[in-house]
Amino acid sequence: MADYIYTMEIRLTPDQLKGVSLVQDISRAAGMNLYLTGGAIRDIISGFTIRDLDFTVQGNPLKLQKELEKAGVRISAVEEDIRTILLLLPGNVRAEISMARTEIYEKTGKPPIVAAATIHEDLRRRDFTVNAMALSLNEGSRGLLLDPFNGVADIEAKLIRILHNYSFLEDPSRLIRATRFAARFHWPLEERTQARYDAAKEAKYIDHILRGSIGHEIAQLAHEDDPLNVVKMLEKEDWLKVLHPHWSTAKIDTNGLGQLMKARQQMVDLGYTPDAGPAVMYFLTSRLTEKDIADLRKQIPRKDLVEAWRDIELHAKELAKRLTGKEAATPSRTWQLLSSARPEMVLFLAVTAKQQAVEQKIKNYLTKWRQVQQRIPLPEMTELLITPQLPEYPKIARDVFMLLLDGKLRSRTETLKFLKPFAPPPPPPPPPPRRGRAAKVAAGATPAPVPAAVPAKKGEVAKGKAKGAVATAAPVVSLSAAAKPEAKSKPKAKPVEAERHPPKPAAKPVAKAAPKKTPVKKAKSKKKR
Ligand code: ATP
Ligand code: MG
C-alpha cells in the first residue's frame, strides 16, 4: 500500500507541513477527527503544485477559531452556512477547514440543505473523483486514504470525472471548475462527463449558479500558475462573463501579467514565496472600470485577498518613493530596504515601476547584487575561525556583504584586513603531559580524557572546527534568509530588525579595526554603541 503520509511530507512545503501539524494538534485537542481532503490530496498524488490545504473535520470547525488564532493563524473568512473557515496559516499558507457534511439539492438555483455528516458521506457531495479523496490525520488511522470513487485511478488516467449524473445540475459552478481544472492540468473530461457537460451547457444550467460560488471561482483565478491560459479557456467556454458580464481577455493586461509570472518564477528560484494573487488580479482586471472591479471584489470571500489587491498600487508607490529617497542612497541601504519589504511588493514593483532608478534598483537586488555574495571569502573566514558558531557571526557576515555591495572593500586583501580583527583567539594549548607519580595518581583518580576534547596540536583543533564550520557556514544563506522576512522563523527575525537600523560602525570598518588580542570583546562593545 502506498505510504501517503510519506508522500505528503515530501510534497508539502515546510510551511505547509507545519500548517498540517498545527491544525492536527488543535483538532485533536478539540476531539475532532481531521482529514486532508480535496485538491491538496489530488496534487500530492499527481505531483502538481499544492496551492492550498483543504481540511475537513467531523464536527464544527468554527469552534476551533480561538485556538487557531492563538497559534498565529489568520481567519480570512467564515462561511457560517456550510461551517467552513478560510485561513491564512503562518508562512502565507492558504487553507480551509470545512465541516464534513451532506448537501441535499431540492430546488435548482437554491442553496442545498446542509447537515453534519461523516467523512465518507462528505466525499459523496464532492465535484470530481480526483477531488473526492481524504487522508486521515487521526491517531490509529493516520495515513489511511479514503478513495471511494477511485480518484487515484483517474489521476493516473488523467481524467476529470463527475461522481453522478446530476452533478452539473445540482451545482452549475462545477462546469466552471471542470474547465478550470482541464485548462490547468491539461486533463480532458471523461467521456460521459463530457456528454453531461455539453448537455448542461446547452440547457443553460449556468443561469442557476449561486452567487457565493461565483466569488469563490473568481478568487481561485488569483492562484493559478498560468492564469492567462485558464481565463482564455473560461472565455472560450463562455464562463468568464458568468464571473462578470464585462470581463473578457481584452480587459487583461497580458503583457504585465506575463512579466509578473516571469518575475515571480525568478523570485521563487531565489527562495522567496511571494503571494502573487493580488497582483494577478490587478493585471487580470487592468482594463475593467473601477465599478466593475468593485463588483468583482465584493463577491470574493477572502477579504485579505481583496484588501491586498485594492491597496497594491498604493503600497507600491510608497515603496518606490522610499527607493528614490535617502533611505536607499547606497546599494547596501537599498538592499536593506528591499529585504525588509514584503516580497509581494518587490514582485509587483519589479513589473510596474515607472522610474528607471527604481526599476534598476530592484533589478540589481534580484540579480547583480546576489553575485556579490560570492565574494565573501568563506574559506578564509573559516580559517580565521569566523564561523556560524560565533555569536557575532551574522553581523560580521552581513557587514562584509554590505561593505562589498557599497564598493568599500575593493579587493580580497581589503576584505581580509577587515575580517581579521574579528577572528576569535586561538584555543589554549594542551596542558603539559603529567609525569611520574602525579600522572599515576591522576590516571587512577580520573577517567582518561576523551581524545577529541584535548587535541594534540593547535593546527588540528583549528582544522577540526573548520570542518564543522564548513558544513554549516553559510553567510550567503543567512543573508538571503534575512531578505525573506516572511519565511523566517523567530530567531532569524533579529537580523531584519538590525537591518532596518544598520549599525553605524560597519560603514568604517578598516580604520576602526579592533586590536588583535581582544577582538571578540571589541566586537561586543561595538554592538552596544
Ligand atoms: P485548487 O487547487 O484550485 O484549490 P481544489 O479542488 O482544492 O482545487 P477548492 O476550491 O480549494 O478546489 O475546493 C476544495 C475541495 O472542495 C475540492 O477539491 C472539492 O472536493 C470540494 N469542492 C469545492 N467546490 C466544490 C463544488 N462546487 N462542488 C463540490 N465539491 C466542491
Ligand atoms: Mg484547494
Side-chain angles (χ1 to χ4, degrees):
M1 201 180 80
D3 182 352
Y4 290 105
I5 292 290
Y6 175 74
T7 318
M8 174 183 85
E9 284 172 356
I10 55 168
R11 292 277 295 111
L12 295 183
T13 65
D15 282 334
Q16 285 176 328
L17 211 51
K18 272 187 220 150
V20 168
S21 42
L22 189 154
V23 174
Q24 193 179 283
D25 293 348
I26 290 175
S27 314
R28 195 169 288 175
M32 285 187 209
N33 277 340
L34 174 76
Y35 300 85
L36 191 62
T37 46
I41 297 297
R42 177 198 64 222
D43 297 336
I44 284 172
I45 296 175
S46 64
F48 282 94
T49 314
I50 300 140
R51 299 150 27 116
D52 52 34
L53 301 175
D54 308 303
F55 295 101
T56 304
V57 285
Q58 290 183 162
N60 182 359
L62 275 64
K63 289 186 186 162
L64 305 176
Q65 281 182 87
K66 262 196 194 149
E67 289 306 312
L68 288 163
E69 280 178 312
K70 267 194 227 163
V73 175
R74 235 175 100 181
I75 312 283
S76 306
V78 177
E79 299 181 335
E80 300 259 356
D81 48 345
I82 50 169
R83 303 244 168 93
T84 294
I85 45 179
L86 307 186
L87 315 171
L88 202 59
L89 301 172
N92 260 345
V93 174
R94 274 174 297 116
E96 68 169 58
I97 312 180
S98 49
M99 172 186 77
R101 63 183 192 265
T102 50
E103 290 182 345
I104 299 171
Y105 290 84
E106 286 196 322
K107 260 191 177 173
T108 318
K110 289 268 178 276
I113 297 164
V114 167
T118 64
I119 187 70
H120 294 273
E121 289 163 326
D122 176 280
L123 293 177
R124 274 186 238 142
R125 59 124 191 129
R126 305 261 167 176
D127 49 1
F128 307 111
T129 56
V130 294
N131 289 344
M133 293 179 276
L135 182 69
S136 168
L137 298 173
N138 306 300
E139 270 171 338
S141 60
R142 199 175 137 85
L144 182 74
L145 185 76
L146 309 178
D147 181 13
F149 298 96
N150 215 352
V152 172
D154 280 340
I155 287 177
E156 276 165 18
K158 301 187 192 320
L159 284 177
I160 294 165
R161 185 195 305 263
I162 44 174
L163 306 192
H164 55 80
N165 287 339
Y166 302 103
S167 188
F168 293 129
L169 177 65
E170 287 186 343
D171 180 354
S173 77
R174 294 173 189 161
L175 293 163
I176 299 178
R177 294 176 64 80
T179 306
R180 185 156 60 76
F181 292 131
R184 188 198 301 172
F185 301 128
H186 304 284
W187 293 353
L189 304 194
E190 167 274 334
E191 208 180 317
R192 283 174 60 185
T193 302
Q194 183 69 56
R196 291 285 157 189
Y197 176 98
D198 294 340
K201 206 171 159 189
E202 181 78 25
K204 296 201 176 349
Y205 288 177
I206 200 70
D207 294 348
H208 304 294
I209 189 171
L210 296 173
R211 239 183 118 70
S213 306
I214 295 179
H216 189 80
E217 291 308 312
I218 295 169
Q220 290 292 333
L221 295 176
H223 309 293
E224 290 292 341
D225 280 342
D226 187 356
L228 190 59
N229 174 46
V230 174
V231 172
K232 275 184 183 164
M233 278 284 266
L234 292 182
E235 184 172 52
K236 190 166 156 260
E237 292 296 303
D238 274 347
W239 306 140
L240 194 56
K241 62 176 193 246
V242 175
L243 300 184
H244 194 284
H246 299 158
W247 214 354
S248 72
T249 41
K251 305 290 180 185
I252 299 175
D253 176 351
T254 41
N255 188 28
L257 188 61
Q259 281 184 36
L260 177 81
M261 299 325 273
K262 253 196 220 157
R264 175 177 167 266
Q265 190 53 50
Q266 188 187 2
M267 287 186 72
V268 168
D269 292 344
L270 290 173
Y272 296 90
T273 47
D275 172 12
V280 168
M281 292 313 295
Y282 174 90
F283 287 114
L284 282 178
T285 57
S286 286
R287 298 192 180 118
L288 280 172
T289 64
E290 278 300 314
K291 186 184 170 302
D292 290 343
I293 292 175
D295 286 347
L296 279 174
R297 286 181 186 152
K298 245 186 261 161
Q299 304 193 59
I300 294 179
R302 274 187 186 270
K303 293 306 156 212
D304 43 6
L305 171 63
V306 173
E307 281 162 23
W309 170 16
R310 187 195 60 203
D311 299 338
I312 198 165
E313 267 186 304
L314 183 74
H315 289 160
K317 251 189 211 162
E318 284 166 2
L319 183 59
K321 200 172 163 205
R322 291 173 71 190
L323 280 167
T324 48
K326 265 194 189 163
E327 217 180 332
T330 59
S332 65
R333 299 185 76 179
T334 309
W335 176 277
Q336 286 161 19
L337 176 58
L338 286 170
S339 298
S340 59
R342 280 187 295 128
E344 22 282 317
M345 290 322 303
V346 176
L347 170 64
F348 184 66
L349 201 53
V351 182
T352 56
K354 298 212 168 61
Q355 291 147 286
Q356 223 205 327
V358 174
E359 201 184 330
Q360 192 57 47
K361 281 179 178 172
I362 296 184
K363 209 171 160 195
N364 287 342
Y365 175 69
L366 295 175
T367 54
K368 197 172 122 190
W369 292 343
R370 310 255 149 192
Q371 283 147 27
V372 173
Q373 289 179 337
Q374 274 144 34
R375 286 176 38 215
I376 300 176
L378 281 185
E380 288 85 346
M381 282 170 79
T382 307
E383 263 169 38
L384 288 169
L385 304 184
I386 304 177
T387 64
Q389 281 79 13
L390 286 185
E392 48 279 320
Y393 179 83
K395 186 181 173 320
I396 301 170
R398 203 173 54 241
D399 286 352
V400 179
F401 177 56
M402 297 294 135
L403 292 165
L404 284 167
L405 268 185
D406 289 342
K408 289 188 175 160
L409 297 176
R410 276 163 305 170
S411 64
R412 226 176 64 94
T413 322
E414 271 185 33
T415 309
L416 292 178
K417 197 172 165 195
F418 167 77
L419 282 167
K420 268 183 193 149
F422 296 105
R434 296 178 186 215
R435 285 187 189 179
R437 218 176 135 238
K440 272 182 201 161
V441 171
T446 53
V450 182
V454 187
K457 281 186 216 161
K458 224 162 99 182
E460 270 178 31
V461 176
K463 261 191 198 165
K465 277 203 180 179
K467 263 191 187 167
V470 170
T472 46
V476 181
V477 172
S478 71
L479 285 165
S480 38
K484 290 180 281 167
E486 249 129 282
K488 264 189 295 66
S489 58
K490 264 188 188 167
K492 282 186 194 160
K494 276 185 186 163
V496 172
E497 245 338 282
E499 285 194 342
R500 284 191 186 137
H501 313 284
K504 276 179 193 162
K508 300 174 211 157
V510 185
K512 290 209 170 180
K516 273 187 186 174
K517 278 184 186 165
T518 53
V520 178
K521 270 190 188 165
K522 196 72 182 174
K524 268 186 192 164
S525 70
K526 236 182 182 184
K527 240 185 196 174
K528 276 183 198 160
R529 254 181 282 155

